[in-house]
């Protein structure tokens, strides 16, 4: 019996023939190579993901044993020839120029110069450093402030005096919160009383709650301008002629400012407080003591005038009034004795001497 040649036509009718198996394997690999070539042509127009899939298929074909036929090495030769063309830069690579959109931010097809744009290293540390520099550093290289800006101090409105809040003015007739020697306003907000104080001083401004018009045994709230430019709200208790600071401070929602040689502040204080010697209940009526003066290193000193003004009668926080008190410079012609003297002098000049 004549043996068929390996790879011949007779081998088609025989099963288990080694030569036939080798020929069939070669034809299979050749068909895979042709399909891979067509895929390579389509992959040139496909995105990077399709190119990666095509390379993966070639690598899988190369991993299979090629057999003994020389045609089995065709996929390997195609891979070696097409490898440099297929390994195009990825869009995420640093060197992706006109063909991709990398850190340079240029779209496909742009013809810009690469020299003006600095490259960065592909390491994560370098990328994180550049991201931090661009986002969290200013042009001067200093970090941006993390805290939000502080809202400016809202000016005290005097148009509401006597209507929605009570006011005390001391100074020139017709003065307001920015021109009076001393200014105080109060109004009820929920369970609190909001106070606004302002005085022509660079030290401190205060209000005292007293059972009489004399200094001693008084609950005092003061706004103190320290050396750092801040205005702090402090709590004092008058022991005779000396103000002792109390650590328990009922003030909250504090704000203050020092501008135009004036100390101005705003704070809230509860209407009702537990009974204590140094803190009074504001739902009761008290005499109000008004004082202001200089400060040394954030500590209050003696008030500016020897006899600070006081309210003529007890003040109720539930009654809003607009009370004006002329300062000493404007009290000369307002006293009854002075008016009587002016009338007598005028009468004398009109009648003449006998």
């Amino acid at each position: 019996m004549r043996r068929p040649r390996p790879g011949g036509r007779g081998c088609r009718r025989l099963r288990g023939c080694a030569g036939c198996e080798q020929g069939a394997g070669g034809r299979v690999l050749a068909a895979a190579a042709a399909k891979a070539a067509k895929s390579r042509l389509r992959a040139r127009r496909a995105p990077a993901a399709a190119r990666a899939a095509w390379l993966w298929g070639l690598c899988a074909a190369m991993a299979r044993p090629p057999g003994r036929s020389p045609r089995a090495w065709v996929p390997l030769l195609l891979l070696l020839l097409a490898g440099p063309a297929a390994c195009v830069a990825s869009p995420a690579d640093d060197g992706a120029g006109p063909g991709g959109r990398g850190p340079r931010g240029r779209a496909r097809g742009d013809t810009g110069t690469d020299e003006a744009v600095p490259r960065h290293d592909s390491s994560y540390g370098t990328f994180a450093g550049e991201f931090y520099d661009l986002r969290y550093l200013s042009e001067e290289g200093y970090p941006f402030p993390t805290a939000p800006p502080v809202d400016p101090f809202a000016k005290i409105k005097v148009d509401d005096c006597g209507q929605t809040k009570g006011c005390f003015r001391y100074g020139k007739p017709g003065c307001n919160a920015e021109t009076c020697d001393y200014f105080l306003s109060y109004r009820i907000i929920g369970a609190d009383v909001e106070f606004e104080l302002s005085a022509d001083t660079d030290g401190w401004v205060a209000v005292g709650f007293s059972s009489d018009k004399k200094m001693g045994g008084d609950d005092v709230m003061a706004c103190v301008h320290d050396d750092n430019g801040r205005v702090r709200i402090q709590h004092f208790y008058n022991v005779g002629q000396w103000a002792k600071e109390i650590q328990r401070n009922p003030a909250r929602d504090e704000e203050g400012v020092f501008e135009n040689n004036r100390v101005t502040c705003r704070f809230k204080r509860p209407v009702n407080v537990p009974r204590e010697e140094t803190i009074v209940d504001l739902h009761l009526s008290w005499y109000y003591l008004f004082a202001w003066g200089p400060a040394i290193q954030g500590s209050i000193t003696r008030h500016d005038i020897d006899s600070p003004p006081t309210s003529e009668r007890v003040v109720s926080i539930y009654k809003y009034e607009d009370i004006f008190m002329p300062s000493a410079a404007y009290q000369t012609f307002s006293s009854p004795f002075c008016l009587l003297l002016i009338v007598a002098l005028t009468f004398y000049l009109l009648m003449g001497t006998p």
Side-chain angles (χ1 to χ4, degrees):
M1 181 176 179
R2 187 177 179 181
R3 296 182 178 178
R5 292 180 301 173
R9 294 183 178 180
C11 191
R12 295 179 182 178
R13 301 179 181 179
L14 298 179
R15 297 180 179 179
C17 178
C20 182
E21 292 179 357
Q22 292 178 0
R27 287 193 297 272
V28 170
L29 293 179
K35 182 184 291 186
K38 294 180 180 180
S39 300
R40 179 170 57 85
L41 294 177
R42 290 193 301 268
R44 290 181 179 178
R45 300 184 180 92
R51 298 180 185 180
W54 176 73
L55 289 177
W56 178 266
L58 286 182
C59 292
M62 185 183 66
R64 292 193 296 268
R68 298 177 182 178
S69 176
R71 289 178 296 179
W73 295 93
V74 173
L76 180 60
L77 295 177
L78 292 176
L79 178 64
L80 294 177
L81 294 176
C87 296
V88 184
S90 174
D93 293 340
D94 295 338
R101 182 182 295 273
R104 303 170 188 172
R106 294 199 310 268
R108 181 184 303 272
D110 291 351
T111 58
T113 59
D114 295 342
E115 291 77 14
V117 181
R119 296 173 179 265
H120 65 75
D121 198 357
S122 60
S123 64
Y124 175 78
T126 306
F127 170 76
E130 293 181 359
F131 179 80
Y132 178 84
D133 293 341
L134 294 176
R135 180 160 186 163
Y136 295 102
L137 295 182
S138 61
E139 296 180 357
E140 293 79 8
Y142 297 100
F144 291 116
T146 57
V150 180
D151 295 335
F153 186 87
K155 293 185 178 182
I156 300 176
K157 298 180 180 179
V158 297
D159 297 337
D160 300 334
C161 291
Q163 300 178 5
T164 59
K165 63 182 178 181
C167 298
F168 286 92
R169 315 187 198 194
Y170 178 84
K172 181 180 179 180
C175 64
N176 54 31
E178 299 178 357
T179 57
C180 288
D181 295 345
Y182 179 95
F183 180 88
L184 167 73
S185 72
Y186 61 90
R187 64 171 176 169
I188 298 177
I189 301 179
D192 300 330
V193 181
E194 182 186 71
F195 290 96
E196 295 174 321
L197 284 76
S198 180
D200 186 13
T201 180
D202 60 353
W204 58 273
V205 55
V207 56
F209 311 102
S210 176
S211 58
D212 52 23
K213 295 183 179 182
K214 299 179 181 179
M215 184 176 179
D218 313 313
D219 182 5
V220 178
M221 300 298 299
C223 306
V224 184
H225 175 226
D226 59 18
D227 293 342
N228 296 326
R230 299 173 300 180
V231 176
R232 297 175 291 108
I233 314 300
Q234 294 180 328
H235 183 216
F236 294 90
Y237 182 76
N238 286 340
V239 180
Q241 300 295 317
W242 176 58
K244 177 184 178 182
E245 184 176 0
I246 306 300
Q247 296 300 325
R248 182 186 176 188
N249 192 345
R252 55 191 176 195
D253 296 340
E254 312 168 8
E255 53 179 332
V257 66
F258 176 72
E259 291 180 348
N260 301 325
N261 200 40
R262 294 188 67 90
V263 176
T264 307
C265 65
R266 182 183 294 111
F267 62 90
K268 295 178 182 178
R269 172 173 161 156
V271 176
N272 299 302
V273 293
R275 293 184 60 87
E276 189 176 334
E277 181 183 5
T278 59
I279 302 179
V280 301
D281 277 336
L282 293 179
H283 74 279
L284 301 175
S285 298
W286 304 91
Y287 289 99
Y288 282 14
L289 309 179
F290 313 115
W292 63 98
I296 299 177
Q297 296 181 354
S299 300
I300 64 174
T301 60
R302 182 177 173 82
H303 37 71
D304 281 344
I305 55 180
D306 295 334
S307 298
T310 62
S311 60
E312 293 293 333
R313 57 184 182 273
V314 293
V315 178
S316 173
I317 61 173
Y318 303 101
K319 185 178 181 181
Y320 296 154
E321 297 181 287
D322 187 8
I323 300 177
F324 172 75
M325 298 174 291
S327 60
Y330 301 95
Q331 292 178 359
T332 305
F333 298 98
S334 61
S335 62
F337 177 77
C338 183
L339 293 177
L340 182 60
L341 180 60
I342 292 175
V343 172
L345 182 59
T346 303
F347 181 78
Y348 177 80
L349 293 177
L350 293 176
M351 296 299 296
T353 56

